[in-house]
Amino acid sequence: MLYNVFSTEIFIQGCNFTMSLAPWRSAIAHSLHRNRSLVYARYLQLATVRANGRPANRTVVFRGFLEDTNQLKFITDARSEKADEIQQQPWAEVCWYFPNSREQFRLAGSLTLVNNYDISDLQSARIKVWQELSDAARLQFAWPDPGKARIQEAEAFTPPPPDPTQPLPNFCLLLLDPVQVDHLELRGEPQNRRIYHFDENQSWSCAEVNP
Ligand SMILES: Cc1cc2nc3c(=O)[nH]c(=O)nc-3n(C[C@H](O)[C@H](O)[C@H](O)COP(=O)(O)O)c2cc1C
C-alpha cells in the first residue's frame, strides 16, 4: 500500500514561519520516549564511504535535531577519517536500534560538516552545540590527533580545559539530512516495516512493505 503523507505543519502564534516536520519524525520521537531510560538508545551507527569505495562505519551520539529542520545533529573531530570521507562523498546512512521497543531505523541522506571555517548560518549552531557539551566531552577535542600513533605521555590526554564558549578549531557539527527512512518494528505478529521517501517534488511518501 502506498499513501502520501503530508508534512505536519506547526504554527507558532506570533511568529510568521511554518515548520514542516517529516512524517517519520513522530515515529522517532515516540521511540526516543519509549527508550528514554537507556542512555545508549542515543548511540547509533553511522556508515560512510571511504575514498577507495569501501564502507566505513562507527558509533556516534545523536544530539537532537537542528532547529526547524529534519536534520540529525552529531559532533565529530575535523582530524578524524570520517571528516575527509564526508568531504569527498557526503552520502551516508545511519542504523539506529531501540532495544526497549525493538525497532530499527535506517536513515539515508547526505551529510554536512560544519567546521571552524564555515561562514553560513550553521556556525551559530556549531557554537551552541559546543557550549552545551560536558567538560569531559569538550576535553576530547584537545587530545592528540585521533588515529595517529599513540602518544605515550599521559599528560597529552589531560590538557587544560578548552574555553567552554569558543569551540576548538577541530570541533565540527555534523548534520544528516535524510531522504529515505526505513522503519522496522520487530514487535507485532507479523512484524511491521515502513519506508518513507522524499521525492523530486520535495514531499514525503510512505509505503508499507513486507518485513
Ligand atoms: C558509545 C560511543 C559513542 C561515540 N560517539 C562519537 C561521536 O559522537 N562522534 C564521533 O566522532 N565519534 C564518536 N565515537 C567514536 C567513533 O565510534 C570512532 O571511533 C571515531 O569517531 C573515529 O572514527 P573514524 O576514524 O571513522 O573517523 C563514539 C564511540 C562510542 C563507542
Side-chain angles (χ1 to χ4, degrees), residues 95-114:
C95 187
W96 197 353
Y97 179 63
F98 289 95
N100 275 352
S101 50
R102 300 182 58 219
E103 293 166 281
Q104 172 184 270
F105 289 87
R106 287 186 293 172
L107 302 101
S110 66
L111 289 167
T112 302
L113 194 72
V114 186

Side-chain angles (χ1 to χ4, degrees), residues 43 58-61 63 75-77 80-83 85:
Y43 302 162
R58 78 288 289 162
T59 308
V60 291
V61 180
R63 306 255 169 204
I75 60 168
T76 202
D77 195 311
S80 69
E81 284 188 10
K82 74 180 89 45
E85 290 158 11

